[in-house]
Amino acid sequence: AVIVLPRFAPLAFRTFWTLAIASPLDPRAQEAAREIGGTAAACRENLDCGAFGGKFETERVLVVGGTRGIGRGIALELARAGAAVDIVGSSGVGGSVVTEMEATHAEETGESRRRGNRTFRFFRADLHSIGGCRDLVAAVDAAYVPPGGEKFYHSVVFTAGQWPDAKEPLTAAGHEKGIFLSVVARFAVFELLRRAQLLSPDCRILSVLGSAQEAPPGFLLPGGTDLSFLRDFLPKAFLTHIYSPDDPPPLIGTLISESTSADLILLELAQRHKSYSFAGTMPGLVRTDVARGHLGALNDVLFGILDWLGITFSAQQCAINQLLVLRFLAGDHITGPMMKKNWVFFDHFLVARLPGRLVKNAGEMKLGALLHNKLTKLVEKIPS
C-alpha cells in the first residue's frame, strides 16, 4: 500500500476533478464565454474532426513532448492536417514517431513528406535542466531548413511533463521534477525560442497541462489556507534543495503548484507579449502509454472502470481537441465576437474558462510577476 498509494493518488485527484468539479454548467464557464467572446466548441460545429481543410498546410509547429502520450497524438494529427512538425522528446523513439508522421501525412495527402515547408524532424533533449533547454533551442536554431521552408514556428505546443515520482522526485539540481518540466522548462524553452527569433510575430502558444482547475478548499492545501499556500508554499516550489529524496514535497501541494503556477505564468506572458496568443488546456483523462504505465498492474482495472464511466479520451480525441484550440487562437470558425484577449483557458469539454480561485488570488498578489522574475533569473543563470 505504501508503494501503490502515491502512484494512484495523481489519477484519483484528476478523476475527482473530472467528475465533481469540471462541469460545463460551472458559472465560471458562462462568465468565460462572455469575457473571451467564444468557445473552441464552435470550431467543432464547423469542422469535421480530423479533417481541417488545409488550415495547417502552411504552418510549422513545434511539439515539446511529442514522442509519447498526448504529445505524440498531437504530432500525428498535425501531420495528418498537413503541417510541418518538429517533435522534442527524451527517449529514442522519436525517429519512429517521425516515420509515423511521414506515413500519416502521405496517406492523408498522397504527397511526399518533403514539399515546401512540410518536413518532420525529431530533436532529442533532456529538459530536466536549463542547460538542456538551451541545448534544445540551439539545435533547433542550427537545424537545416529546406528551400521554401520557414525557420520560425507558427505554433508551439507544450505537453512535456511528468507524474510525481515517489522514488526519485528531484532533478540533479534539486528541483521537483514535475514542477520543473511543467513550468520551468516550458517557460525556458519559450523564452529561449523568442530570444532566438524562432517564433512567428503572431505565434500561438498552447500549454496542455491542467489549466483552470479549481483547487480544493484552502484547509486541504499545504499551510492550511489559500493565503499561506500562495505566500509561503508556492514561491518555494521553484527553489532548489527545499526537499530531499527522503523528504519529498507533498503530493497535493506539488500538483496544485504545477497547475496554479503554469496558469499564472501563461497570463503573465500574455500580458508581456501582446502579439502572441496563449491557451492553457485541461486534457482530461487520456488513455495513453504514459498514464497506463504509471499505474503498473492497476492500470487495466482502473482504466476499465474509467472507460466504463465514459470520462476518458483516446489520444486521438484529445489531440483533435488541441488542434481545434489552435484554430480557435487563429480566429477560425468562431461564432460570435472574436477573442477579446490574447489568452484563453479550456477544459476537456472545450468549454472556455476563466482562471481558478487560486490563480485569481495569486494574480491579485502579483505572484505572476514574481514567478516570471524567478524563472527569468533561472534561464539567465546559464551563460550563452
Side-chain angles (χ1 to χ4, degrees):
V2 174
I3 297 175
V4 170
L5 282 177
R7 295 170 68 84
F8 170 78
L11 180 64
F13 178 79
R14 180 165 284 187
T15 302
F16 169 77
W17 187 86
T18 302
L19 288 173
I21 298 175
S23 166
L25 302 179
D26 187 333
R28 286 190 304 135
Q30 319 234 346
E31 184 183 355
R34 292 192 298 271
E35 184 89 7
I36 295 164
T39 70
C43 297
R44 188 179 291 281
E45 297 173 3
N46 292 281
L47 290 174
D48 177 21
C49 291
F52 285 88
K55 292 292 184 179
F56 289 95
E57 287 187 355
T58 60
E59 298 197 357
R60 185 167 174 235
V61 184
L62 177 67
V63 182
V64 182
T67 57
R68 299 179 63 198
I70 294 172
R72 173 180 170 275
I74 294 172
L76 291 176
E77 289 306 312
L78 284 167
R80 190 188 311 277
V85 186
D86 291 346
I87 58 173
V88 178
S90 60
S91 69
V93 301
S96 64
V97 178
V98 167
T99 301
E100 285 185 85
M101 289 193 292
E102 293 170 353
T104 298
H105 177 75
E107 179 182 352
E108 190 69 20
T109 64
E111 297 174 352
S112 166
R113 73 185 183 97
R114 291 189 179 276
R115 179 175 176 179
N117 70 341
R118 300 178 201 174
T119 57
F120 307 103
R121 303 182 301 187
F122 166 55
F123 295 95
R124 188 167 187 170
D126 182 357
L127 302 182
H128 283 98
S129 69
I130 297 296
C133 297
R134 190 177 293 277
D135 290 343
L136 165 64
V137 174
V140 170
D141 194 20
Y144 169 75
V145 178
E150 293 175 317
K151 194 173 184 67
F152 57 71
Y153 294 107
H154 300 88
S155 297
V156 179
V157 180
F158 290 100
T159 69
Q162 180 171 337
W163 290 54
D165 187 340
K167 293 183 178 180
E168 298 181 10
L170 305 179
T171 67
H175 290 98
E176 199 283 325
K177 287 181 178 178
I179 290 176
F180 195 93
L181 279 180
S182 298
V183 184
V184 182
R186 295 185 187 205
F187 174 87
V189 171
F190 164 80
E191 183 64 16
L192 293 167
L193 287 170
R194 185 186 68 81
R195 295 183 185 188
Q197 299 182 333
L198 292 171
L199 304 179
S200 67
D202 58 349
C203 189
R204 299 175 287 277
I205 310 298
L206 173 58
S207 179
V208 183
L209 182 61
S211 286
Q213 294 190 55
E214 192 51 85
F219 69 87
L220 293 177
L221 298 173
T225 67
D226 285 8
L227 180 61
S228 60
F229 171 77
L230 293 173
R231 184 187 60 199
D232 301 325
F233 185 86
L234 186 63
K236 290 181 179 178
F238 296 90
L239 301 178
T240 60
H241 302 298
I242 296 298
Y243 301 100
S244 70
D246 297 326
D247 181 28
L251 179 65
I252 294 298
T254 297
L255 293 173
I256 295 297
S257 292
E258 281 185 33
S259 58
T260 301
S261 53
D263 285 0
L264 269 175
I265 288 298
L266 185 145
L267 290 172
E268 187 67 23
L269 290 175
Q271 180 66 28
R272 292 168 183 257
H273 305 289
K274 297 290 189 180
S275 70
Y276 302 150
S277 53
F278 298 83
T281 62
M282 167 66 178
L285 295 165
V286 185
R287 299 187 298 273
T288 69
D289 58 324
V290 178
R292 288 177 180 269
H294 180 79
L295 295 169
L298 288 175
N299 75 44
D300 290 336
V301 175
L302 291 174
F303 269 91
I305 295 172
L306 297 174
D307 289 347
W308 180 78
L309 290 172
I311 61 172
T312 61
F313 294 85
S314 69
Q316 183 180 32
Q317 289 172 318
C318 177
I320 289 172
N321 282 351
Q322 309 314 310
L323 265 65
L324 288 171
V325 171
L326 287 175
R327 296 323 308 167
F328 176 87
L329 292 179
D332 292 339
H333 300 284
I334 298 177
T335 58
M338 296 293 286
M339 283 180 65
K340 299 175 183 177
K341 301 180 182 294
N342 67 328
W343 59 267
V344 62
F345 295 115
F346 286 110
D347 66 17
H348 47 298
F349 299 114
L350 287 186
V351 176
R353 293 182 173 274
L354 294 180
R357 181 190 78 247
L358 280 177
V359 176
K360 182 179 179 181
N361 293 340
E364 293 173 354
M365 295 168 62
K366 308 297 183 184
L367 282 183
L370 174 66
L371 292 181
H372 185 279
N373 291 338
K374 282 180 176 287
L375 295 177
T376 300
K377 289 178 180 178
L378 279 175
V379 171
E380 294 175 345
K381 197 172 182 180
I382 306 295
S384 300

